[in-house]
Amino acid sequence: MDFAGARKWMVDGQLRPNKVTDPRILSAMSDLPRHRFVPPAQAPRAHADEDVPLGGGRVMIQPMMQARLMQLAQIRAEEQVLLLGAGSGYGAALAARLGARVTAVESAPALLALARDALAGLSVAPGSIRIIEGNAARGHAEGAPYDLILIEGQVPEIPPLLVEQLAEGGRVVAVQRRPGRRGLPCWAAAWAAPSA
């Protein structure tokens, strides 16, 4: 399969028409081998305008949703980012390509293995991605404070425990789950209390 062509079609046919305008995101998604972040049998679907099954009821979110989340996050170089529900690691790779230093938390061993394999050999700055096994709902307090917490999954609300892990002026970006409706990207801004 022509994966480079599929990435070009994904960017030009899905992202640009859906108000993804950040050239850094468009460039990163044009370049990153998205098909490496799904099980081999799903590789032909990796660039489709749909969620891609990863196994165990988990999915890699559709490209447009991923790009919109990244655009809402407004990732800046050298920011400390906590990515929760990291799945196969694609979001972590995107954030690192945007210049962030990423701590990615995932609880499923099979997805951790997929993420580590997919990230091996990618051209990102050394040490820019740490993959941690853990419960996404608890975050990763050991690495706090974070400039950005990005949740790659639907949540009804932002747990207060996560807000406590934000730096002063930090922010949280997630997909809000509303009863009876499919989740839509939302901006959920939160600020941590100043240190005592």
Side-chain angles (χ1 to χ4, degrees), residues 51 59-73 84-85 148-159 162 172-179 181-189:
D51 295 341
V59 299
M60 181 166 67
I61 59 176
Q62 63 180 285
M64 187 272 294
M65 184 72 76
Q66 182 81 63
R68 295 285 297 274
L69 280 173
M70 290 293 170
Q71 189 161 272
L72 285 171
L84 300 173
L148 168 67
I149 297 176
L150 182 60
I151 302 172
E152 287 203 342
Q154 295 186 24
V155 293
E157 60 187 23
I158 306 301
L162 297 182
V172 178
V173 174
V175 176
Q176 184 177 18
R177 183 184 335 135
R178 296 181 181 146
R181 294 183 60 194
R182 186 171 180 197
L184 299 171
C186 70
W187 178 265

Side-chain angles (χ1 to χ4, degrees), residues 1 13 15 28 40 52 56 71 76-78 83 91-92 148 187 191 195:
M1 180 169 176
L15 306 187
V52 180
Q71 189 161 272
R76 295 180 290 273
E78 298 303 316
L83 193 144
L148 168 67
W187 178 265
W191 292 264
S195 300

Side-chain angles (χ1 to χ4, degrees), residues 4-74:
R7 287 194 301 275
K8 183 176 185 338
W9 172 84
M10 174 186 75
V11 169
D12 293 340
Q14 296 175 49
L15 306 187
R16 292 183 196 278
N18 283 291
K19 301 180 184 174
V20 178
T21 57
D22 186 326
R24 301 173 314 135
I25 295 170
L26 295 171
S27 176
M29 291 185 74
S30 291
D31 188 46
L32 273 175
R34 187 173 163 91
H35 63 281
R36 287 182 50 176
F37 292 86
V38 297
Q42 298 295 342
R45 297 176 59 190
H47 304 90
D49 187 16
E50 62 185 10
D51 295 341
V52 180
L54 296 175
R58 299 283 298 279
V59 299
M60 181 166 67
I61 59 176
Q62 63 180 285
M64 187 272 294
M65 184 72 76
Q66 182 81 63
R68 295 285 297 274
L69 280 173
M70 290 293 170
Q71 189 161 272
L72 285 171
Q74 299 179 357

